[in-house]
Amino acid sequence: MYRILELLRQTDAFVSGEEIGRQLSISRAAVWKGIRKLRQEGYEIEAVTNRGYRLISPETMYNRQELETGMKTRYMGHPIYFYAETDSTNNRIRQLAVEGAAEGTLAVAEVQTMGRGRRGKQWSSPIGSGAWFSLLLRPDIPPAEASVLTLLGGLAVCRALEDISGMQPVIKWPNDILLNGKKLVGILTEMDCEMSQVHFVVLGIGINVNTKAFPPELEEVATSLFLESGKTFSRKLVVQKTMERLEEYYDIFLAAGGFAPLLDEYRRRCVTLGREVTVLEEKSFLATALDVTPEGELLVRRSDTGEEMVIYSGEVSIRGGV
Ligand code: BTN
């Protein structure tokens, strides 16, 4: 039936059942059966007597087939596993990685029943409005160097969303993406490694695309592309563009053997720099965020002692909001 889909995709005009049958060497009955199946999958196909069939914009469709169509990357987003519902796409990728899946394998879910955020928080992942997906990376690096992949992920998503929406999201170190001061994207990086070697990294990305309303506890802090622009965006394009930018930046990272060539762009997009921050450690303290190091750490100057120090990971809140 996907061959029928491909045929219909090639034109905005009607294609007769006879023509489809001829081109694919199948019977009229098989054509009709295929059309029925495509409709069951949610494709809108117009049928007019004596003219044939016409596909109505599949742009809003969100399934494996659609995600694969028009994916321009070499390896990011290949293959794709699509789940109508799963607990967490990070779990799916972890399992696939253990079974030997290749770098670039992507898991996408329409709904996550146990979407995970950082620090053991839940990640709200309702149906229909967001892009919830995880990617498998297998960099040949020691674990200590892997934290820059978190920054790389944030940078790529930020860039992709700018490409698509024309709006300019910013990064809150290490990898929250904000629009007009509210959280648009969350990224959860998980790693499997031994002392000297990374086995694999799971980059889990949650993008609020067309969310129209958040639960009361998130209303003040979360936003979506729709809420900031009044426009609806294709989740398929959001995922595809993100894969393109991830591949581009990851290739640069691999070729250079580090984050250095991406650091300037990261700094430009990072809203944390130059701000007064509260570093939330066992004992929280105030500091000024000075820079991001090539290793991906945040360099800060403590307000109480004037001492400069690096923060490796964890929670930093920006004073006065963003
Ligand atoms: C955060 O707390 O900011 C990180 C949120 C990460 C959410 C994404 S959605 C896809 C992937 N699967 C999960 O369970 N979490 C990540």
Side-chain angles (χ1 to χ4, degrees):
M1 80 193 189
Y2 290 121
R3 284 162 65 218
I4 300 178
L5 184 64
E6 284 323 305
L7 250 172
L8 293 178
R9 225 190 260 290
Q10 285 164 19
T11 171
D12 288 334
F14 283 91
V15 188
S16 71
E18 195 180 343
E19 177 67 15
I20 297 173
R22 199 180 53 75
Q23 289 208 27
L24 301 180
S25 307
I26 55 176
S27 68
R28 292 285 292 276
V31 172
W32 170 236
K33 232 171 116 187
I35 297 276
R36 208 174 55 205
K37 276 205 181 139
L38 287 170
R39 281 179 169 157
Q40 277 164 4
E41 279 209 359
Y43 289 96
E44 266 187 84
I45 297 170
E46 195 182 353
V48 174
T49 325
N50 294 333
R51 295 182 72 188
Y53 303 101
R54 192 168 70 108
L55 183 63
I56 300 179
S57 170
E59 224 28 44
T60 50
M61 290 286 305
Y62 196 52
N63 56 32
R64 184 180 59 77
Q65 176 74 18
E66 280 311 309
L67 285 165
E68 279 172 357
T69 304
M71 183 75 85
K72 296 199 190 99
T73 49
R74 284 178 290 121
Y75 61 93
M76 287 297 181
H78 301 286
I80 299 175
Y81 291 79
F82 190 91
Y83 305 90
E85 181 180 310
T86 190
D87 51 356
S88 156
T89 52
N90 270 33
N91 293 352
R92 295 289 69 73
I93 285 295
R94 183 176 282 278
Q95 189 182 339
L96 288 161
V98 170
E99 290 165 5
E103 178 158 85
T105 299
L106 174 66
V108 182
E110 179 64 81
V111 176
Q112 292 185 119
T113 52
M114 282 168 62
R116 282 203 299 279
R118 281 186 319 200
R119 305 203 147 208
K121 289 192 199 145
Q122 276 184 7
W123 180 261
S124 162
S125 326
I127 188 166
S129 59
W132 328 125
F133 55 95
S134 303
L135 188 71
L136 173 60
L137 299 176
R138 293 186 179 278
D140 187 11
I141 54 175
E145 287 172 26
S147 61
V148 291
L149 292 174
T150 297
L151 278 67
L152 188 150
L155 183 57
V157 179
C158 188
R159 182 70 194 276
L161 295 181
E162 182 178 313
D163 294 340
I164 286 173
S165 70
M167 296 187 284
Q168 292 202 312
V170 292
I171 304 169
K172 176 175 162 266
W173 181 88
N175 66 1
D176 279 348
I177 296 181
L178 313 177
L179 200 49
N180 298 329
K182 291 181 171 180
K183 186 150 157 173
L184 179 68
V185 179
I187 302 182
L188 177 67
T189 318
E190 295 176 326
M191 174 165 70
D192 188 280
C193 63
E194 56 192 272
M195 283 292 275
S196 62
Q197 184 61 38
V198 170
H199 294 150
F200 61 84
V201 171
V202 182
L203 203 58
I205 301 174
I207 307 177
N208 301 321
V209 181
N210 296 321
T211 321
K212 304 223 160 36
F214 286 95
E217 67 277 14
L218 294 177
E219 222 166 61
E220 294 287 301
V221 291
T223 195
S224 69
L225 288 178
F226 173 82
L227 287 173
E228 298 303 323
S229 67
K231 289 191 215 140
T232 305
F233 291 87
S234 151
R235 289 181 295 164
K236 159 186 162 155
L237 292 183
V238 165
V239 174
Q240 290 179 337
K241 193 43 111 179
T242 302
M243 290 303 117
E244 281 174 37
R245 288 297 182 192
L246 273 169
E247 185 169 284
E248 179 185 333
Y249 290 146
Y250 189 62
D251 280 349
I252 293 174
F253 167 80
L254 291 181
F259 193 63
L262 299 169
L263 197 50
D264 272 345
E265 184 181 351
Y266 184 90
R267 286 183 178 123
R268 276 200 305 278
R269 292 176 185 272
C270 179
V271 75
T272 313
L273 296 182
R275 304 287 300 262
E276 260 234 302
V277 296
T278 307
V279 180
L280 306 166
E281 288 195 345
E282 222 165 278
K283 269 195 158 173
S284 299
F285 58 87
L286 284 181
T288 305
L290 301 176
D291 199 5
V292 174
T293 69
E295 290 73 39
E297 308 130 342
L298 187 67
L299 179 68
V300 302
R301 185 184 308 113
R302 282 185 77 121
S303 306
D304 50 359
T305 60
E307 177 197 356
E308 284 189 12
M309 57 191 290
V310 288
I311 315 292
Y312 297 96
S313 66
E315 216 70 348
V316 166
S317 77
I318 301 179
R319 303 255 299 164
V322 276

